[in-house]
Amino acid sequence: MNSGTAHTIINPQNGNLAFKLFHFEDNNHFDHLQRNNYYSLIWVKKGSGKVKADFAEHQFSDNSLLAFSPYQPFMLCTNENVEGIAIHFHPDFYCIQMHQKEVSCNGVLFNNIYQPPFTMITQSAADTFAMVIEQMKTEMQNPALAQYELLISYLKIFLITATRLKNEQLQEEETETVSDKEPYILQNLKDAIEGNFKVKHAPSDYADLLNITPKSLAKITKNHFNKTLTNLIAERIIIEAKRELYLTNKSVKEIAYELGYDDEHYFSRFFKTNADVSPQLYRETVGFARGMN
C-alpha cells in the first residue's frame, strides 16, 4: 500500500467512517490531539517517541501496537519518522463491547486504565497482522457479497492475536514484580476501584479502604500508573458511563444515579470534562441506542 493510500468504508446511513485502513510514513496523522468517534489501532513498525493518552505519557518504540477507544484523547510526539499501519473502525461496524465473549479485548487492549495503551509485537504476531492486513486490502478493493462479514472476521483475528499477546505480557509483568510489596497494594487498589467506583469517588475513600495514608497511596499510584488516583477513578467512571450510553437506552439521569451522582447536570459536566463531549453527543455519535429505539 503506498503512503497516503487509504481504504475507507463509509456508513451510508449516517456518513460516519465505518472502517479505514492506511499506511503512514510520518507522524502527520497523529502529531495533534486526536478525539475520534471510532476505535484506532496504530501498528508502529518503525520509530519511537512518546504517546500521550488520557492523563499519562508513555514511551513507545518499534513494533508497538497502540489501541485507543472512541473519544479517548491521544497524540504521538516524535522527532523521527514513524512508519506503520493504522486501522480505524466505528462501533457501528464492530462493537467490541457487544462481542466481548468473542474477542475479549475490552479491558485488555482497550479501556485498560492500569496499563500503557500499547502492546509489544512479536515476529509471530507481526506475520499474522501482515497476512490479515493484505486480506483486508484485497477485500476492500473488490466490494462483493458479504464484504462486511469477511472484514469483521479479519478484524477479529487481528484483535484476538493482539489481545492474547497483551495478556501474555501482562502475566510476565506480574511474575516479575511478585516479590515487591507494592504490587499487592496496587492489586488491592484495582479491586477496590472495580468494586466501589459507583459509590466512592474520592481518593481518600480508597486510602481508608486499603488502610494506607492518602499521601502514600498517591505516591504509589503515580509511580506505577503514571497518573493520579483522581484520574484513575474518573477514567473508570467514564468507561462505565460510556458503556451504558453505548449499549442501553437508559436516560443520562438514570446512568448518573447508578454511578453515584444525584445531580444529572453535575454528572454531565464531569463526563464532558473527561470525554470532551456531552453524554448525549457521545450516544448519538458512538452509541447503539439510536438503532435500538
Side-chain angles (χ1 to χ4, degrees), residues 255-272:
I255 294 169
Y257 186 73
E258 285 177 12
L259 291 172
Y261 295 90
D262 293 331
D263 184 337
E264 176 192 349
H265 301 294
Y266 177 86
F267 170 75
S268 290
R269 285 196 300 276
F270 170 80
F271 186 94
K272 187 162 187 187

Side-chain angles (χ1 to χ4, degrees), residues 43-286:
W43 177 18
V44 178
K45 294 183 178 183
K46 291 180 186 168
S48 61
K50 256 191 316 199
V51 54
K52 295 183 180 182
D54 290 312
F55 304 104
E57 287 184 9
H58 303 277
Q59 297 290 331
F60 71 89
S61 56
D62 293 357
N63 288 313
S64 300
L65 178 70
L66 307 163
F68 304 104
S69 301
Y71 288 111
Q72 183 178 4
F74 74 90
M75 68 184 288
L76 306 188
C77 306
T78 177
N79 295 321
E80 56 184 277
N81 279 347
V82 286
E83 185 185 330
I85 301 274
I87 297 172
H88 300 319
F89 63 98
H90 192 278
D92 281 349
F93 180 79
Y94 187 71
C95 174
I96 65 163
Q97 311 237 24
M98 287 179 79
H99 299 95
Q100 176 66 356
K101 287 192 173 79
E102 292 174 16
V103 293
S104 303
C105 60
N106 189 39
V108 181
L109 274 190
F110 300 100
N111 294 326
N112 182 345
I113 61 174
Y114 306 108
Q115 296 292 333
F118 55 78
T119 309
M120 298 310 298
I121 301 306
T122 60
Q123 188 56 53
S124 167
D127 292 342
T128 302
F129 288 169
M131 178 188 72
V132 168
I133 285 163
E134 283 308 309
Q135 296 289 343
M136 285 176 173
K137 289 191 312 201
T138 303
E139 193 59 31
M140 291 177 84
Q141 284 163 341
N142 303 301
L145 190 69
Q147 182 195 44
Y148 267 52
E149 282 73 13
L150 260 180
L151 280 173
I152 286 168
S153 297
Y154 296 138
L155 180 60
K156 279 191 209 170
I157 294 167
F158 195 103
L159 291 170
I160 290 166
T161 303
T163 301
R164 284 178 178 171
L165 192 55
K166 179 91 171 185
N167 270 326
E168 282 171 22
Q169 290 170 13
L170 293 179
Q171 282 162 10
E172 282 170 19
E173 275 179 36
E174 280 174 22
T175 307
E176 284 168 14
T177 56
V178 82
S179 60
D180 189 346
K181 185 187 166 198
E182 284 192 351
Y184 290 112
I185 295 169
L186 295 169
Q187 190 54 55
N188 289 342
L189 174 60
K190 287 184 199 177
D191 293 343
I193 291 173
E194 291 306 309
N196 296 282
F197 70 88
K198 292 180 181 179
V199 287
K200 295 185 187 298
H201 299 162
S204 56
D205 294 335
Y206 293 90
D208 290 345
L209 278 175
L210 300 177
N211 204 15
I212 182 174
T213 67
K215 196 172 177 182
S216 298
L217 186 56
K219 189 176 176 186
I220 292 168
T221 307
K222 191 71 179 165
N223 283 347
H224 283 266
F225 299 127
N226 200 16
K227 359 177 148 162
T228 67
L229 184 48
T230 301
N231 294 153
L232 270 183
I233 300 161
E235 279 185 69
R236 186 62 189 88
I237 294 165
I238 292 296
I239 284 168
E240 196 67 17
K242 284 179 173 180
R243 200 182 78 81
E244 292 293 317
L245 289 165
Y246 207 61
L247 296 178
T248 75
N249 276 326
K250 290 175 190 169
S251 68
V252 174
K253 189 174 184 177
E254 281 177 89
I255 294 169
Y257 186 73
E258 285 177 12
L259 291 172
Y261 295 90
D262 293 331
D263 184 337
E264 176 192 349
H265 301 294
Y266 177 86
F267 170 75
S268 290
R269 285 196 300 276
F270 170 80
F271 186 94
K272 187 162 187 187
T273 300
N274 287 279
D276 205 45
V277 286
S278 68
Q280 197 54 45
L281 186 60
Y282 184 87
R283 172 168 271 166
E284 286 166 9
T285 56
V286 176

